[in-house]
Amino acid sequence: GQEAVFLAAGSAIQDHDTYVPYYRDHPAFLLRGMPIHQLLWYWAGDIRGASFQHKPQDLPINVPIASQVPHATGLAFANKQKGSRNVIIVTLGDGATSKGDCYEAMNMAAIHRLPLVFFINNNQVSWLKHYRLIFSGGKMYYLNRFINLDIFRNVYIGSFT
């Protein structure tokens, strides 16, 4: 179930949009055209696995918790400045929402109303805070549009546009 929710994230965007993943997004990579051998190369430590030639606008696998969120915000800011209508989707787990990187990036996206979708998988095992503290009151931080999809787990999707 954990990895299956990211099929929705990968299929929700167009081919020209940008996918900013974290390390649990294997099905979305495959859905977006990554050859399975390249994914296996990545996890085997082979540098060829870090080349995202199938979708050059997508960012590679991100393992450090929450560090992909500022990258996604920066990409969305650049797209907005260029007048691009492309959307950025960033995926993260509930543990990432407890990190300063995530707070700061969400704040920046809210202030500038960036074309950025936060796809948050709440598997209710955040190691920093209990999920009820993170996802309280039906909204998360600065998100003004908020959807809770209950697909085996709680998935929270929010955007600022």
Side-chain angles (χ1 to χ4, degrees):
Q2 171 80 31
E3 282 79 6
V5 299
F6 297 105
L7 284 173
S11 62
I13 60 175
Q14 303 295 315
D15 281 344
H16 59 272
D17 293 331
T18 303
Y19 193 82
V20 183
Y22 82 127
Y23 61 92
R24 303 293 296 266
D25 294 12
H26 306 124
F29 297 143
L30 300 173
L31 181 70
R32 288 184 58 78
M34 177 185 245
I36 194 163
H37 66 271
Q38 187 177 350
L39 185 61
L40 295 173
W41 281 341
Y42 175 84
W43 288 110
D46 189 316
I47 191 67
R48 293 176 292 175
S51 172
F52 273 54
Q53 295 175 4
H54 63 287
K55 290 276 188 277
Q57 75 277 15
D58 289 358
L59 269 59
I61 298 167
N62 192 72
V63 176
I65 305 297
S67 62
Q68 76 277 22
V69 183
H71 297 158
T73 301
L75 288 169
F77 189 80
N79 276 357
K80 185 173 181 178
Q81 293 298 313
K82 291 189 292 188
S84 171
R85 296 186 50 82
N86 291 356
V87 172
I88 311 293
I89 186 168
V90 59
T91 59
L92 54 147
D94 60 313
T97 63
S98 298
K99 305 288 278 177
D101 305 33
C102 189
Y103 280 107
E104 293 152 11
M106 289 181 140
N107 190 34
M108 173 96 169
I111 290 168
H112 295 285
R113 302 191 62 74
L114 299 178
L116 177 57
V117 176
F118 295 92
F119 194 98
I120 305 164
N121 179 29
N122 180 10
N123 58 16
Q124 302 179 9
V125 293
S126 174
W127 56 279
L128 292 174
K129 292 183 183 177
H130 192 273
Y131 76 96
R132 291 192 204 289
L133 298 175
I134 298 168
F135 299 99
S136 62
K139 290 200 175 190
M140 186 183 153
Y141 308 122
Y142 304 101
L143 302 180
N144 61 10
R145 282 197 292 193
F146 182 84
I147 303 166
N148 180 9
L149 303 175
D150 190 3
I151 309 171
F152 304 115
R153 311 252 188 228
N154 291 320
V155 175
Y156 297 90
I157 303 172
S159 67
F160 301 107
T161 57

